[in-house]
Amino acid sequence: MRGFGDSRNGQPSEKWLCINQVIRDSKIAILAVQETHLTNDRINDLNKLFAATLLIHGSCDPTNPTGARGVAFALNKRLINTDDVTICEEEAGRALTLTMKWTNGSTLKVLNVYAPNEMSENANFWNRRRLEQERARTRKPDIVLGDFNMVIDPNDRLPPRRDAQEAQDALMGFLRVADVLDGWRARNPTDRQYTYLQQATGSQSRIDRIYIRPTLMNKAGDWGLHGPGFRTDHRLVTVGISNAGTPHQGKGRWAFPHMLLSDKPFLKTMKDLGLSLQTSLDDLGGRTHLENPQVVFAEFKKGLQEAARARARCCVPRLDRQIEALKNDISNLSNNEELTLESRVHSLGVLQNRLTALEVRRFGSKRNAVATNDWARGETICRYWTKLNAAPNPSAIIHELGDIRSARMKWPELRWLIITDYKRTQHWIEMSNGLRRRMS
């Protein structure tokens, strides 16, 4: 993240305010950051500032905590329970391990690393990590992620080149002992994407990676590289890990896009559909199972939903369309072998800078909207104020609702089971009430 960020007159760091918004908007449960320049005092101040939403654990450099190194975890209290999190400092300012409870009694272990930039030091760092893993009697990490400051595959650099063999061998030795693999590369064996742009030369590299255990590969998805939205020299690498022990949870009910309530073309469409519904209800004759108010109203709702989705796709902001178009251009250009190497390096550098500028602009618009809303409603006792000042409770999954009996039953059998359970419950309630009357 290239340092702590500006903090003037005792105000909080602007960069960490942006990080808080990124975690909230992108619904990130665990964010691993490197080159944080955090001290223990800074970590305590940040935890006081974001007490309701974030919990930050960090490891600082022992000799120069405000000017070098530093790794940290930022945990989203909106999504996970932070009470049972365990932190272990593997190497000050360089490696930090987080262990947290998952579901059904399982745990998840994540190692956050910031490897040295100099190749000989990089090799020594990975040799130390390998020896630590070989000597340790604790479980191996499920996920290893961070800034590795070197690549194994030459295609992960532009222009392509190999890093020092000593550093490659050391990292591969650690990965072999830890039993983890490069998840994004396993899913995209021939694609090229980069997470770091060196402005002086235009060269790029994928030095920020996420390694996971092979047993988690079938649970990992949504691999992505994103711009965080504020000025930094690295892109954000993300992955979603699903828990096989978690009951199936759908996407929830469809919600009407609020922006359409002020969209004049859609309001006209909604009015026309409503008038058509009124006419259809007036023209209904005798009631049948095919022609009745409930069927007509259901058709109206279906038509309104389809019209809302179609209009919402047309109302995508122009800035979002430009960002998606640039991402596609970058992806196509990165994998275009017909262009000369020099042309690719130059063109990709230009496109990447344009993309970063647009992402910063979009993120700034969101921050302005949040600031305006807070200025207008932050001092008024209302729902916004209540949610702003109350620590959210992460939703707990009730595994008993995923009863295997109900999962395999058809509706008649499930209906009988529900009625039977209901009658049994009512019976015990009546017995309990009768016992209370006799005791009184």
Side-chain angles (χ1 to χ4, degrees):
M1 63 180 280
R2 198 168 60 178
F4 179 70
D6 294 333
S7 178
R8 300 175 182 175
N9 300 324
Q11 295 298 315
S13 165
E14 179 69 21
K15 187 172 290 187
W16 275 96
L17 292 174
C18 293
I19 288 175
N20 178 52
Q21 182 175 335
V22 169
I23 291 175
R24 181 184 67 243
D25 293 348
S26 302
K27 296 182 179 180
I28 297 174
I30 303 174
L31 180 69
V33 289
Q34 301 82 38
E35 200 178 357
T36 58
H37 298 183
L38 286 175
T39 63
N40 292 329
D41 290 339
R42 285 176 172 177
I43 292 174
N44 292 334
D45 291 341
L46 291 173
N47 281 328
K48 290 178 182 178
L49 176 65
F50 302 120
T53 56
L54 291 183
L55 177 63
I56 299 167
H57 291 286
S59 171
C60 58
D61 181 73
T63 57
N64 186 15
T66 61
R69 306 180 186 88
V71 290
F73 285 106
L75 309 180
N76 189 347
K77 290 185 177 181
R78 306 174 186 90
L79 300 179
I80 60 176
N81 186 352
T82 60
D83 294 337
D84 300 316
V85 170
T86 303
I87 297 294
C88 178
E89 185 180 71
E90 305 287 345
E91 184 172 329
R94 290 293 187 186
L96 190 67
T97 297
L98 175 146
T99 305
M100 59 173 286
K101 286 187 177 180
W102 215 2
T103 57
N104 285 342
S106 61
T107 59
L108 190 69
K109 188 173 183 179
V110 184
L111 174 61
N112 179 12
V113 298
Y114 177 40
N117 191 44
E118 205 276 321
M119 285 294 106
S120 61
E121 294 181 7
N122 191 292
N124 293 334
F125 172 79
W126 293 117
N127 285 329
R128 290 194 298 272
R129 301 275 64 74
R130 175 180 56 80
L131 292 173
E132 185 68 27
Q133 283 295 318
E134 290 174 341
R135 288 195 298 260
R137 296 184 178 180
T138 57
R139 59 175 293 189
K140 298 175 181 178
D142 299 298
I143 302 173
V144 181
L145 75 173
D147 184 351
F148 291 75
N149 266 321
M150 57 90 62
V151 301
I152 296 175
D153 188 344
N155 288 326
D156 285 333
R157 285 195 182 274
L158 183 71
R161 66 174 176 84
R162 290 188 176 276
D163 283 335
Q165 192 63 43
E166 180 187 13
Q168 289 190 49
D169 293 341
L171 175 57
M172 292 177 67
F174 165 77
L175 298 177
R176 185 167 51 253
V177 172
D179 191 23
V180 291
L181 55 83
D182 185 348
W184 185 88
R185 178 55 70 198
R187 291 284 175 87
N188 306 275
T190 60
D191 288 357
R192 295 185 180 94
Q193 285 193 18
Y194 309 104
T195 64
Y196 174 71
L197 169 64
Q198 193 173 47
Q199 295 289 345
T201 62
S203 63
Q204 300 192 52
S205 57
R206 192 173 70 92
I207 56 177
D208 306 279
R209 302 187 293 278
I210 299 176
Y211 290 85
I212 68 173
R213 302 194 69 172
T215 52
L216 286 179
M217 274 300 293
N218 61 339
K219 304 172 187 176
D222 298 329
W223 295 89
L225 280 72
H226 313 281
F230 54 91
R231 291 291 178 182
T232 181
D233 51 353
H234 292 257
R235 295 184 68 76
L236 188 64
V237 184
T238 59
V239 64
I241 306 291
S242 63
N243 193 336
T246 303
H248 172 73
Q249 294 175 282
K251 297 181 179 180
R253 64 179 178 85
W254 177 79
F256 196 89
H258 290 179
M259 65 179 178
L260 295 183
L261 296 177
S262 58
D263 182 67
K264 291 184 179 180
F266 180 74
L267 291 178
K268 183 180 183 304
T269 301
M270 185 164 56
K271 182 179 179 180
D272 294 341
L273 288 173
L275 292 174
S276 177
L277 168 66
Q278 186 175 354
T279 303
S280 300
L281 291 174
D282 293 339
D283 294 342
L284 278 177
R287 180 186 178 92
T288 67
H289 70 285
L290 294 177
E291 294 185 359
N292 57 68
Q294 283 76 21
V295 171
V296 175
F297 186 59
E299 292 176 352
F300 161 75
K301 290 194 295 183
K302 183 179 179 181
L304 183 63
Q305 186 181 74
E306 292 175 351
R309 284 176 168 164
R311 181 59 185 167
R313 286 192 291 268
C314 298
C315 292
V316 174
R318 180 167 174 260
L319 190 58
D320 290 346
R321 293 199 298 269
Q322 290 177 333
I323 289 175
E324 289 303 316
L326 268 176
K327 286 182 178 179
N328 291 332
D329 291 343
I330 289 174
S331 178
N332 295 333
L333 189 58
S334 298
N335 298 283
N336 189 344
E337 298 287 353
E338 296 179 0
L339 294 176
T340 63
L341 186 60
E342 183 180 354
S343 177
R344 265 199 298 157
V345 170
H346 174 72
S347 300
L348 280 173
V350 172
L351 292 179
Q352 191 63 60
N353 283 326
R354 288 181 187 172
L355 176 61
T356 300
L358 290 180
E359 289 171 337
V360 169
R361 181 176 153 198
R362 180 174 64 178
F363 188 79
S365 299
K366 289 182 180 180
R367 284 196 58 75
N368 290 336
V370 170
T372 302
N373 191 31
D374 186 74
W375 178 85
R377 305 167 64 190
E379 297 298 328
T380 304
I381 298 179
C382 57
R383 185 179 179 185
Y384 171 82
W385 181 88
T386 304
K387 292 178 66 177
L388 186 68
N389 292 278
N393 293 321
S395 57
I397 297 172
I398 304 175
H399 292 275
E400 287 74 12
L401 294 179
D403 193 336
I404 190 64
R405 297 179 299 168
S406 61
R408 294 179 177 176
M409 286 182 179
K410 295 183 179 179
W411 168 241
E413 298 171 325
L414 184 58
R415 180 176 177 271
W416 176 84
L417 176 64
I418 294 172
I419 293 175
T420 302
D421 288 347
Y422 173 77
K423 289 180 177 178
R424 186 183 297 114
T425 303
Q426 290 300 315
H427 172 69
W428 283 108
I429 291 175
E430 291 173 2
M431 287 185 62
S432 177
N433 291 337
L435 181 61
R436 288 196 190 97
R437 285 195 295 268
R438 287 195 297 270
M439 292 179 64
S440 61

